[in-house]
Amino acid sequence: MKKTSIFEHQESYTIHEVAQRSGLSIPTLRYYEEIGLVPDVGRDPSSGHRRYRADTLQIIESLANLRAVGMSIEEMRTYLTLREQGDETAVEKRDLFQAHAEEVEKQMARLRIHQRYLSLKVAYWDARARGDLDDAARIAQEYESIVKDLRS
């Protein structure tokens, strides 16, 4: 009787296919597996190469999305733990995403200040290049007013 593996009965993917589908690099996939974010990945019995099941690919695609929005490894780990528990943890999942959305908003506010400062510096040096020292002085006062925000 011929011995069969699970890979002969269900769809599976190579690490290259998973990297291409998820947008994660092969080293990142291996790292996520090493730290336990990605559940046990099977091996092809004939080659020993990793073979990812469809359900594992779904988890990896979720991780790729979480990474893309800047979630930390710990936030990803928390999400995966909550995900396994289904809708019973809907409130906790909502709170996790809400907290991260609020952090992203804070980052965006800081970036808006950075952008404003840089725009003012461009305008300042443009005024200096034109020889308009009055305009340069006015702009310098304006960007000085945001310096404290820039450093916070």
Side-chain angles (χ1 to χ4, degrees):
M1 178 178 225
K2 181 182 173 206
K3 194 174 183 182
T4 61
S5 75
I6 61 163
F7 303 111
E8 294 178 35
H9 299 292
Q10 58 181 268
E11 191 170 9
S12 65
Y13 305 90
T14 67
I15 196 167
H16 295 283
E17 291 169 327
V18 171
Q20 186 175 27
R21 288 183 65 148
S22 69
L24 297 173
S25 69
I26 290 172
T28 297
L29 290 169
R30 288 182 178 139
Y31 176 68
Y32 284 3
E33 184 181 344
E34 180 184 317
I35 64 170
L37 274 181
V38 175
D40 295 330
V41 176
R43 300 283 180 154
D44 185 309
S46 63
S47 68
H49 295 150
R50 287 173 172 83
R51 297 297 295 188
Y52 296 82
R53 295 186 327 246
D55 59 335
T56 303
L57 176 60
Q58 288 178 333
I59 290 169
I60 291 168
E61 287 174 335
S62 291
L63 290 172
N65 293 339
L66 298 177
R67 183 175 190 236
V69 298
M71 282 199 163
S72 69
I73 296 288
E74 283 312 308
E75 287 172 313
M76 290 180 198
R77 193 179 307 281
T78 298
Y79 174 71
L80 291 177
T81 299
L82 294 171
R83 184 179 186 264
E84 290 174 7
Q85 298 171 34
D87 283 347
E88 294 175 24
T89 59
V91 170
E92 291 88 346
K93 286 183 274 234
R94 181 205 61 208
D95 292 348
L96 176 70
F97 285 103
Q98 181 63 43
H100 191 71
E102 289 169 6
E103 181 56 35
V104 168
E105 182 57 41
K106 288 177 190 174
Q107 292 170 7
M108 289 170 55
R110 285 190 299 270
L111 287 173
R112 284 189 290 273
I113 292 167
H114 295 177
Q115 180 61 43
R116 180 73 181 134
Y117 176 82
L118 292 168
S119 294
L120 288 168
K121 288 301 265 186
V122 167
Y124 172 81
W125 288 110
D126 181 58
R128 296 291 299 245
R130 289 183 281 111
D132 189 344
L133 300 182
D134 290 338
D135 196 29
R138 181 194 56 78
I139 294 166
Q141 283 183 325
E142 192 174 344
Y143 73 68
E144 285 300 324
S145 71
I146 67 168
V147 167
K148 69 175 175 35
D149 294 332
L150 183 67
R151 297 178 188 157
S152 62

